Amino acid sequence: MRHQHIILLAMWLLWLPAVHGQSWVRLEADTIPIGDQTTLSISLDSMATKGSQIGGTGIVTVDQRIDTANHMLVTTLTCFEPGEHWIKLGDDDSLTLMVTDVEVDTASAEIRDIAPIEKVPYTFWEIFRWVLLALIVGAVAFAIWWVLTHRQKVESVFGLSEPVDTRTPQERALDDLEALRRKQLWQSGKAKEYHTELTDVVRRFIEESTDMRATDMTSDETLGEFGERRWDAERVMLQSIFTTADLVKFAKSEPLPNEHDRSMSLATEFVTTLWERVKPTPEAPKGEEVDNG
């Protein structure tokens, strides 16, 4: 009987540490500074709690993993509120986590004003990019100024400007009359357009070769100006041209074919005669006397 008690006591002594060594829950540190972390390990064999049931006021779960080697659910916890916190492991079980605040030694700590903004010296590249920008802006401004002041030269180089008309007013008027003749307007029943263009050519010639604003004057005003200047021959031809044109444009008259041709001939003669009267006199070369007869 005595031998049986000794055997039972030995078995109990061997079983006791084994049971305590296989605890189903373990908190790595039950006291941590605010914001620090601790680890909670729970045996997967225990049915008392699950990982999703871990909770507590102010407790934050940072990470959760399964330690397959030790058959444990390992949860990393932290807390940002100082004081005593309870970690719930189920309906009845819980652990205590103490979170300590960071103490500030205001007696020995030196309190200073906020440091002023420190001016950092400019680097070479910062200065260079501003200089480069100024050069680019200056170059663009100079290019715009040069183009505006040399516009005709630029347009001629790139073919953007129309060629300068070097013809005299007489040559331009005769060319316009010849172009009108080739249109054959009155032959195609456009007598009004024919005489309108013909009188426009004549008025434009008068304005380009004299100081009269013929394009803004009526027929009577133009004829009156010719009469005051005693340009009688030209006035007679101009009156005939205007009369025929006014009959066609306003009275809807239908001139005979020879009357259309006559207006063209009179216009050509009028341009030639008036130009001989008003054309500029060539300047005599310097050092030579002009023979006035």
Side-chain angles (χ1 to χ4, degrees):
M1 187 68 176
R2 184 177 179 180
H3 294 290
Q4 293 178 351
H5 284 288
I6 294 173
I7 294 172
L8 291 174
L9 179 60
M11 293 177 61
W12 180 81
L13 290 174
L14 292 173
W15 172 81
L16 183 61
V19 172
H20 286 280
Q22 295 180 358
S23 177
W24 66 273
V25 60
R26 183 174 67 250
L27 187 60
E28 181 182 14
D30 58 1
T31 302
I32 61 173
I34 186 170
D36 203 354
Q37 297 179 357
T38 185
T39 301
L40 175 65
S41 301
I42 303 173
S43 174
L44 295 177
D45 295 334
S46 174
M47 301 302 294
T49 186
K50 298 295 183 183
S52 60
Q53 294 175 313
I54 299 173
T57 305
I59 302 297
V60 178
T61 301
V62 178
D63 180 53
Q64 195 172 70
R65 61 186 177 83
I66 296 177
D67 185 356
T68 56
N70 298 312
H71 209 55
M72 303 286 285
L73 175 66
V74 181
T75 306
T76 303
L77 306 174
T78 188
C79 184
F80 299 97
E81 299 179 10
E84 189 178 72
H85 300 271
W86 292 90
I87 303 174
K88 296 181 62 177
L89 302 176
D91 296 333
D92 300 323
D93 298 327
S94 62
L95 293 175
T96 303
L97 177 64
M98 180 62 68
V99 180
T100 59
D101 202 353
V102 179
E103 296 184 1
V104 180
D105 187 0
T106 57
S108 61
E110 183 181 357
I111 301 176
R112 300 179 181 179
D113 293 334
I114 299 175
I117 299 176
E118 184 179 356
K119 293 184 179 180
V120 180
Y122 290 105
T123 64
F124 169 77
W125 291 109
E126 289 176 331
I127 298 175
F128 176 75
R129 67 182 182 183
W130 287 110
V131 173
L132 181 61
L133 179 61
L135 292 175
I136 293 174
V137 172
V140 172
F142 175 78
I144 294 174
W145 170 82
W146 192 88
V147 169
L148 293 177
T149 54
H150 299 77
R151 184 174 179 179
Q152 292 183 350
K153 182 182 294 185
V154 173
E155 290 179 347
S156 62
V157 170
F158 291 97
L160 302 176
S161 60
E162 296 181 358
V164 179
D165 191 351
T166 58
R167 295 175 298 174
T168 65
Q170 179 201 24
E171 293 171 340
R172 192 157 39 248
L174 293 177
D175 290 343
D176 291 343
L177 290 174
E178 179 60 26
L180 176 61
R181 187 199 308 274
R182 293 178 180 176
K183 288 183 180 180
Q184 296 186 346
L185 292 178
W186 68 265
Q187 290 90 333
S188 58
K190 299 179 181 178
K192 182 177 180 180
E193 289 83 350
Y194 171 78
H195 286 277
T196 298
E197 289 192 30
L198 190 144
T199 53
D200 287 344
V201 172
V202 172
R203 290 179 184 277
R204 190 163 52 248
F205 167 73
I206 295 172
E207 187 166 303
E208 291 177 356
S209 57
T210 68
D211 58 353
M212 286 187 281
R213 303 292 299 173
T215 56
D216 299 328
M217 299 166 64
T218 64
S219 298
D220 291 339
E221 290 173 343
T222 306
L223 293 173
E225 186 69 24
F226 270 76
E228 291 179 3
R229 302 190 184 198
R230 298 181 180 239
W231 295 348
D232 296 333
E234 293 84 355
R235 182 180 182 279
V236 172
M237 289 185 284
L238 189 60
Q239 184 174 14
S240 179
I241 296 170
F242 284 165
T243 299
T244 303
D246 290 343
L247 289 174
V248 175
K249 290 188 291 184
F250 304 113
K252 296 183 180 180
S253 174
E254 291 292 338
L256 296 174
N258 64 320
E259 292 178 308
H260 296 302
D261 291 336
R262 183 171 179 274
S263 292
M264 177 63 71
S265 299
L266 286 175
T268 303
E269 185 179 357
F270 170 82
V271 169
T272 303
T273 303
L274 182 59
W275 181 248
E276 289 297 324
R277 184 188 294 277
V278 300
K279 68 180 179 180
T281 303
E283 295 183 1
K286 292 182 179 180
E288 294 185 6
E289 294 184 357
V290 179
D291 186 7
N292 294 324

